[in-house]
PDB file of all heavy atoms in Angstrom:
ATOM      1  N   GLU A 391     150.501  90.711 114.255  1.00  0.00           N
ATOM      2  CA  GLU A 391     151.546  91.624 114.545  1.00  0.00           C
ATOM      3  C   GLU A 391     152.249  92.138 113.319  1.00  0.00           C
ATOM      4  O   GLU A 391     152.627  93.317 113.179  1.00  0.00           O
ATOM      5  CB  GLU A 391     152.563  91.017 115.512  1.00  0.00           C
ATOM      6  CG  GLU A 391     152.031  90.789 116.862  1.00  0.00           C
ATOM      7  CD  GLU A 391     153.054  90.235 117.838  1.00  0.00           C
ATOM      8  OE1 GLU A 391     154.237  90.011 117.405  1.00  0.00           O
ATOM      9  OE2 GLU A 391     152.746  89.965 118.958  1.00  0.00           O
ATOM     10  N   THR A 392     152.384  91.291 112.311  1.00  0.00           N
ATOM     11  CA  THR A 392     153.047  91.689 111.101  1.00  0.00           C
ATOM     12  C   THR A 392     152.258  92.698 110.322  1.00  0.00           C
ATOM     13  O   THR A 392     152.823  93.628 109.670  1.00  0.00           O
ATOM     14  CB  THR A 392     153.308  90.463 110.200  1.00  0.00           C
ATOM     15  OG1 THR A 392     152.020  89.839 109.837  1.00  0.00           O
ATOM     16  CG2 THR A 392     154.210  89.465 110.860  1.00  0.00           C
ATOM     17  N   VAL A 393     151.001  92.619 110.445  1.00  0.00           N
ATOM     18  CA  VAL A 393     150.082  93.601 109.768  1.00  0.00           C
ATOM     19  C   VAL A 393     149.920  94.869 110.579  1.00  0.00           C
ATOM     20  O   VAL A 393     150.027  96.023 110.013  1.00  0.00           O
ATOM     21  CB  VAL A 393     148.649  93.009 109.519  1.00  0.00           C
ATOM     22  CG1 VAL A 393     147.663  94.090 108.977  1.00  0.00           C
ATOM     23  CG2 VAL A 393     148.747  91.825 108.585  1.00  0.00           C
ATOM     24  N   SER A 394     149.787  94.791 111.912  1.00  0.00           N
ATOM     25  CA  SER A 394     149.660  95.932 112.768  1.00  0.00           C
ATOM     26  C   SER A 394     150.842  96.862 112.807  1.00  0.00           C
ATOM     27  O   SER A 394     150.725  98.050 113.111  1.00  0.00           O
ATOM     28  CB  SER A 394     149.222  95.500 114.133  1.00  0.00           C
ATOM     29  OG  SER A 394     150.273  94.686 114.735  1.00  0.00           O
ATOM     30  N   GLN A 395     152.056  96.235 112.499  1.00  0.00           N
ATOM     31  CA  GLN A 395     153.197  97.059 112.543  1.00  0.00           C
ATOM     32  C   GLN A 395     153.472  97.968 111.255  1.00  0.00           C
ATOM     33  O   GLN A 395     154.177  98.861 111.268  1.00  0.00           O
ATOM     34  CB  GLN A 395     154.455  96.195 112.733  1.00  0.00           C
ATOM     35  CG  GLN A 395     154.540  95.591 114.172  1.00  0.00           C
ATOM     36  CD  GLN A 395     155.625  94.614 114.320  1.00  0.00           C
ATOM     37  OE1 GLN A 395     156.400  94.400 113.384  1.00  0.00           O
ATOM     38  NE2 GLN A 395     155.728  94.042 115.534  1.00  0.00           N
ATOM     39  N   ASP A 396     152.701  97.590 110.240  1.00  0.00           N
ATOM     40  CA  ASP A 396     152.783  98.293 108.935  1.00  0.00           C
ATOM     41  C   ASP A 396     151.715  99.423 109.070  1.00  0.00           C
ATOM     42  O   ASP A 396     150.521  99.226 108.986  1.00  0.00           O
ATOM     43  CB  ASP A 396     152.489  97.452 107.802  1.00  0.00           C
ATOM     44  CG  ASP A 396     152.637  98.164 106.474  1.00  0.00           C
ATOM     45  OD1 ASP A 396     152.804  99.367 106.400  1.00  0.00           O
ATOM     46  OD2 ASP A 396     152.654  97.485 105.428  1.00  0.00           O
ATOM     47  N   ALA A 397     152.163 100.717 109.170  1.00  0.00           N
ATOM     48  CA  ALA A 397     151.301 101.803 109.359  1.00  0.00           C
ATOM     49  C   ALA A 397     150.291 101.948 108.146  1.00  0.00           C
ATOM     50  O   ALA A 397     149.073 102.248 108.373  1.00  0.00           O
ATOM     51  CB  ALA A 397     152.120 103.138 109.464  1.00  0.00           C
ATOM     52  N   ALA A 398     150.768 101.778 106.983  1.00  0.00           N
ATOM     53  CA  ALA A 398     149.820 102.008 105.842  1.00  0.00           C
ATOM     54  C   ALA A 398     148.752 100.885 105.777  1.00  0.00           C
ATOM     55  O   ALA A 398     147.514 101.199 105.561  1.00  0.00           O
ATOM     56  CB  ALA A 398     150.627 101.901 104.505  1.00  0.00           C
ATOM     57  N   THR A 399     149.203  99.683 106.027  1.00  0.00           N
ATOM     58  CA  THR A 399     148.154  98.552 106.108  1.00  0.00           C
ATOM     59  C   THR A 399     147.185  98.739 107.185  1.00  0.00           C
ATOM     60  O   THR A 399     145.958  98.525 107.050  1.00  0.00           O
ATOM     61  CB  THR A 399     148.896  97.244 106.253  1.00  0.00           C
ATOM     62  OG1 THR A 399     149.848  97.080 105.160  1.00  0.00           O
ATOM     63  CG2 THR A 399     147.871  96.062 106.148  1.00  0.00           C
ATOM     64  N   ARG A 400     147.743  99.139 108.367  1.00  0.00           N
ATOM     65  CA  ARG A 400     146.911  99.322 109.541  1.00  0.00           C
ATOM     66  C   ARG A 400     145.857 100.430 109.267  1.00  0.00           C
ATOM     67  O   ARG A 400     144.722 100.299 109.568  1.00  0.00           O
ATOM     68  CB  ARG A 400     147.781  99.677 110.759  1.00  0.00           C
ATOM     69  CG  ARG A 400     146.900  99.835 112.119  1.00  0.00           C
ATOM     70  CD  ARG A 400     147.765  99.936 113.265  1.00  0.00           C
ATOM     71  NE  ARG A 400     148.578 101.217 113.199  1.00  0.00           N
ATOM     72  CZ  ARG A 400     149.835 101.293 113.055  1.00  0.00           C
ATOM     73  NH1 ARG A 400     150.552 100.143 112.904  1.00  0.00           N
ATOM     74  NH2 ARG A 400     150.454 102.447 112.975  1.00  0.00           N
ATOM     75  N   SER A 401     146.377 101.538 108.635  1.00  0.00           N
ATOM     76  CA  SER A 401     145.430 102.622 108.346  1.00  0.00           C
ATOM     77  C   SER A 401     144.358 102.222 107.328  1.00  0.00           C
ATOM     78  O   SER A 401     143.235 102.684 107.455  1.00  0.00           O
ATOM     79  CB  SER A 401     146.312 103.753 107.747  1.00  0.00           C
ATOM     80  OG  SER A 401     145.478 104.825 107.287  1.00  0.00           O
TER      81      SER A 401
END
Side-chain angles (χ1 to χ4, degrees):
E391 293 182 359
T392 58
V393 173
S394 61
Q395 290 176 1
D396 185 349
T399 305
R400 184 173 64 249
S401 177

